[in-house]
Amino acid sequence: MTRLRKTVPIVPDNEIFSFCVEGAMLGKNPKVVSCGFISIEKPTFHRQYSKKQMASIQDISVSAAINLLSAFLFLVAFAMLRLQPFNDRVYFPKWYLKGIRSSPTHSGAFVNKFVNLDFRTYIRIFNWMPEALKMPELELIDHAGLDSAVYIRIYLLGLKIFIPITILSFVVLVPVNCTDGKLEKSKDLMFSDIDKLSISNVTPGSQRFWAHLVMFYVFTFWICYALYKEYQIIASLRLRFLASEHRRPDQFTVLVRNVPPDPDESVSEHVEHFFCVNHPDHYLTHQVVYNANKLAKLVAEMKSLQNHFNYYQNKYDRNPAKRPTTRTGLWGLWGDKVDAIEFYATKIEELVKEEAIEREKVISNPQAIMPAAFVSLRTRWGAAVCAQTQQSCDPTIWLTEWAPEPRDVYWTNLAIPYVELSIRRLIMAVSLFFLTFFFMIPIAFVQSLANIEGIEKVLPFLKTLIEKKVVKSVIQGFLPGIALKIFLILLPTILMTMSKIEGFTSLSSLEWRSAGKYHLFILVNVFFGSIITGAAFEQLNAFINESATEIPKTVGVSIPMKATFFITYIMVDGWAGIAGEILRLVPLIMFHLKNAFLVKTEQDREEAMDAGSIGFASSEPRIQLYFLLGFVYAAVTPFLLPFIVIFFGLSYMVFRHQIINVYDQKYESAAAFWPDVHRRLIIGMIISQLLVMGLLSTKGAKYATQLLIILPVLTIWFHLFCKGRFESAFKKFPLQEAMVKDTLERATEPNFNLRNYLEDAYVHPVFKGGDFERPAAIDEEENNPLVPTKRALSRRSTPGESRYDSEPGSEAGS
């Protein structure tokens, strides 16, 4: 065994560490162990960097200038375009959908219908900014819903957390870091100006690390305090919203899954009998779930054909002298030329017959009825009891949950058999693992090319151009961030498709599950994948063989090195990207293309007006990345924090404007997603604590591990405390509140016909206004309603003695 003691200069991404190495030579592959400064334990996690890869203050300044200019140009373009009448439906669609706005404001010449000629309005092109901040929160909730208002509060929470942390970091930690001068004393090391402000500039073993340790405790307690207050406020807003909310069908309805088969009764009869027996005072009506997916496609096709027919019929009515024509090929662009009105009339007639056959098949075929139903009860109290209790001795059948509101229902997945759901979710879980891990390979490839050495290697003839100072600054300060952002564009769509395959039955649950997948993906690939270098298989092998206690050290060592990369990513994604959000360039182009080539009727114009929505599945995990970066770098590289503060401030203003004027949410969950947001923030805190603990332990602060290990424990305790204190408000509906609303409603509207109100609420959209199987009405005056049953023994569904048992042929009830 050979003992080594050697000082080695290392050239990482953004900073260089000189460290004392003492290890044991084991064959050809020594394991390197730190004796006090820093350890890089396996070659897998370390890559040599040349000076030309290091981003300096100048590079960051160039990137900041590019992104600030891009953001400013986006905002100016938006301010100009929003004033033009022909863009009104793109930038103010919410007011059109509310019926408050029917046409853009204009007067005078014909050209004013398209271009705003009032030059006085251009003087105040940025007045949308204060206007976006003026609307009070309660008014915003009434206008856009609680989901939108709470989503905005996530950005406000970011400002509350990081503005004080940024001030403290620059007042305390930056002076501590920059006055040590450890990097300047090491003349054989290469470093950037940013490194002088980071923890890398503190001499290993220095007492200055006490400042970082104390401040990290202060940051953690401040974050916990802010999270607690925010959870408290949002829980209060949710309870107030539910108490003041107007009558909605989902308040009285539960979704029943896994209805057990019965040889003598249909699903509808079985559901009715079960609830009449077990909820005799509260059962009102129900609607079984049909597998009408094929019929829904035919109805959508019929709608499209009818729209084309109306267009050509209107065109002919305006000019009877000329019959309109079209071509039989795709989109009417090729094929034989035929009379358009006759062509579409014939296709509609054929489709009507096909639709009628399919409709009859769905209604009459028992196999088309799924073992699920929407059951409506007479009171909110009854619905709350039903949704929040176990209905049968067998916990796998008669599963009840709150029904999503009608517009939130994802009808396609209601037709998936319950047993199949478990198989689907297992397959998707495995697929998510492989997608998350193997996506590291293309990301690592793209990132390897998105730097000067990578470009020179692939395109050597550009070396002379790249070596120029300005070009070099642009590449190092801008290209890595934009490359990663472009590479992730399609990921949200892929993850949403996976969630749909898993079989979730509401749009809200699809978005929440997709958000969870995207958060995991960003955590593994964008955060850890950007920090840890090496091929994907090498990383997996290293982590498998790595001691669990050494992983935080290995990753923590790389944290300071990647500060400049994350700064460039924040500027690209969080500055220019957010400013691009308000410009709505893609919806703008698509609206005018549709208006020019595809809009045939006023209905087409309404559909071309894409209001969009928040996009919780992709936007919320992105916010979590910025929280995580702030948590990690607050005590490591405080220079990164102002970039995050700018992101949260700009996002708060932009999304507030979008929610007021643009977005039309597809559903309202009353902020039911907040526990997931809180849990992900806690995960980010714990990750930051472990990484900082690992980093400080490699910097000779031997007391760091013992003192910082308390923080993850306290953070987990804090999460459990908040979970027990507030989460029930997001998972359950208080019976007391339900009774209060029911009592007030009976007093103020004693003659309200709830049955008529709920009758068609949960009918599949393809049956709206049509004929379908409806359950027989139960006499409102009957105290103990019974339903006739065809079964030999009603005790099959009602264990034990029951005075509500129905004998064969019983005529009781109606």
Side-chain angles (χ1 to χ4, degrees), residues 18-231:
S18 175
F19 62 94
C20 176
V21 179
E22 182 175 329
M25 182 71 72
L26 301 176
K28 296 182 180 180
N29 187 16
K31 181 175 181 181
V32 181
V33 182
S34 168
C35 68
F37 296 161
I38 181 172
S39 69
I40 296 180
E41 306 214 7
K42 296 197 189 299
T44 302
F45 292 97
H46 175 62
R47 184 174 61 190
Q48 298 294 330
Y49 286 79
S50 67
K51 187 174 181 179
K52 64 175 67 177
Q53 287 181 287
M54 295 171 58
S56 64
I57 288 286
Q58 180 183 352
D59 301 330
I60 296 299
S61 300
V62 171
S63 179
I66 293 174
N67 286 285
L68 284 175
L69 180 61
S70 301
F72 178 75
L73 292 177
F74 286 152
L75 294 177
V76 170
F78 160 72
M80 301 290 286
L81 291 172
R82 69 187 285 269
L83 297 176
Q84 312 311 316
F86 68 99
N87 293 328
D88 209 55
R89 289 178 180 268
V90 178
Y91 293 113
F92 300 96
K94 189 158 195 169
W95 301 103
Y96 282 89
L97 295 172
K98 282 179 169 287
I100 298 174
R101 204 178 186 119
S102 58
S103 62
T105 303
H106 59 80
S107 61
F110 175 76
V111 70
N112 279 350
K113 295 182 179 180
F114 303 96
V115 181
N116 186 351
L117 298 180
D118 185 358
F119 293 100
R120 292 172 300 178
T121 59
Y122 293 96
I123 300 175
R124 305 184 302 272
I125 59 174
F126 290 110
N127 64 348
W128 64 269
M129 294 183 179
E131 291 296 326
L133 303 176
K134 278 184 180 179
M135 184 178 287
E137 186 172 56
L138 294 180
E139 184 179 342
L140 181 65
I141 292 173
D142 291 336
H143 173 71
L146 186 60
D147 282 346
S148 298
V150 170
Y151 176 79
I152 288 295
R153 290 194 66 92
I154 301 178
Y155 294 105
L156 186 60
L157 175 64
L159 292 174
K160 290 178 180 178
I161 288 176
F162 289 114
I163 288 178
I165 288 179
T166 301
I167 295 173
L168 285 174
S169 294
F170 274 79
V171 170
V172 179
L173 295 183
V174 169
V176 169
N177 294 335
C178 67
T179 57
D180 189 282
K182 174 252 181 182
L183 294 176
E184 293 179 340
K185 296 173 185 175
S186 305
K187 297 181 179 180
D188 58 336
L189 301 181
M190 293 181 293
F191 55 89
S192 70
D193 293 333
I194 296 176
D195 298 323
K196 295 180 183 179
L197 307 178
S198 74
I199 198 172
S200 306
N201 199 33
V202 180
T203 303
S206 172
Q207 294 299 313
R208 291 173 180 249
F209 287 118
W210 277 104
H212 300 83
L213 188 64
V214 171
M215 292 309 299
F216 200 67
Y217 263 91
V218 172
F219 296 160
T220 299
F221 284 119
W222 169 248
I223 294 168
C224 289
Y225 174 77
L227 287 179
Y228 175 82
K229 297 299 293 185
E230 195 67 19
Y231 215 147

Side-chain angles (χ1 to χ4, degrees), residues 12-15 49 53-60 63 192-195 476-478 480-481 558-571 633 637 639-640 643:
D13 189 5
N14 298 320
E15 66 186 272
Y49 286 79
Q53 287 181 287
M54 295 171 58
S56 64
I57 288 286
Q58 180 183 352
D59 301 330
I60 296 299
S63 179
S192 70
D193 293 333
I194 296 176
D195 298 323
Q476 294 187 154
F478 182 74
S558 302
I559 291 292
M561 304 177 188
K562 283 295 181 178
T564 52
F565 166 75
F566 286 122
I567 289 174
T568 61
Y569 181 78
I570 291 169
M571 289 187 288
Y633 283 98
T637 309
F639 185 76
L640 179 139
F643 297 88

Side-chain angles (χ1 to χ4, degrees), residues 41 49 160 185 240 367 379 429 564 572 654 681 688:
E41 306 214 7
Y49 286 79
K160 290 178 180 178
K185 296 173 185 175
R240 183 187 305 167
Q367 299 300 320
T379 62
T564 52
V572 171
V654 166
L681 290 172
S688 69

Side-chain angles (χ1 to χ4, degrees), residues 697-763:
S697 66
T698 63
K699 299 286 284 182
K702 300 179 180 180
Y703 46 80
T705 303
Q706 291 82 358
L707 293 177
L708 284 178
I709 195 63
I710 303 172
L711 284 182
V713 177
L714 290 177
T715 303
I716 293 173
W717 172 85
F718 169 75
H719 171 62
L720 295 176
F721 172 77
C722 289
K723 181 182 177 71
R725 174 68 178 83
F726 300 116
E727 189 172 306
S728 62
F730 296 84
K731 303 297 183 182
K732 301 175 181 178
F733 189 67
L735 295 180
Q736 181 183 18
E737 294 294 329
M739 181 61 74
V740 168
K741 288 184 71 70
D742 289 334
T743 304
L744 289 175
E745 194 170 90
R746 282 194 298 268
T748 56
E749 299 178 81
N751 298 321
F752 181 76
N753 192 326
L754 185 61
R755 180 186 298 278
N756 288 344
Y757 174 72
L758 297 173
E759 189 173 40
D760 293 337
Y762 287 96
V763 172

